[in-house]
Amino acid sequence: MSPTENKAVVERFDTLVNSGHVDQLDELCSPDMVNHALAPSRPAGLAGTREFLASAARFRSDGWQRLVVVAEDDLVVQHGVRGGQWPGGPFLGFEAAPGPYAREVAFVYRLVEGRIAERWAVRDDLTMLRQLGVFRAD
């Protein structure tokens, strides 16, 4: 697949993340997908990705506020700022109040034959926790 085609697959995956609907996940991801971004407590691979997307639907994402996408060979990288509305409750082991957030993120996808085979994420969760009042910035 070309880098342009791979970018289109990742864009479709991103649409699923924002919608909470996982009906196209099997079409977009390889059956043996490795999602390096999942918490250790989640199932591995596609099952864990499906579980994560279903649980993430409880908070509203406003999607990308700023986005740069780079694709070369079998890799697609998204970097930018994503924001949304946290409903309140535990986040990374901390009780976080409801409220808006915006954090910098980078996602890396490796595709094989037009399907996502691996996914990595780097998120600025500390900034999100600060915005939600868990930590003070000073």
Side-chain angles (χ1 to χ4, degrees), residues 64-69 78-82 103-107 122:
W64 294 102
Q65 296 175 358
R66 190 174 69 240
L67 174 64
V68 174
V69 181
Q78 295 174 311
H79 177 263
V81 174
R82 288 182 71 102
R103 64 181 170 180
E104 192 169 359
V105 296
F107 299 115
V122 179

Side-chain angles (χ1 to χ4, degrees), residues 3-75:
T4 301
E5 292 168 315
N6 287 341
K7 281 172 67 172
V9 171
V10 169
E11 187 175 322
R12 286 180 57 206
F13 180 85
D14 207 35
T15 301
L16 290 182
V17 171
N18 289 332
S19 72
H21 300 292
V22 296
D23 52 340
Q24 296 176 5
L25 203 57
D26 292 316
E27 179 184 332
L28 298 174
C29 301
S30 63
D32 57 348
M33 173 196 187
V34 177
N35 190 340
H36 302 279
L38 293 174
S41 60
R42 293 204 186 272
L46 202 49
T49 301
R50 184 174 281 106
E51 181 184 281
F52 168 75
L53 291 177
S55 70
R58 72 183 183 93
F59 64 93
R60 183 176 55 82
S61 172
D62 296 334
W64 294 102
Q65 296 175 358
R66 190 174 69 240
L67 174 64
V68 174
V69 181
V70 179
E72 188 161 329
D73 298 327
D74 62 347
L75 295 175

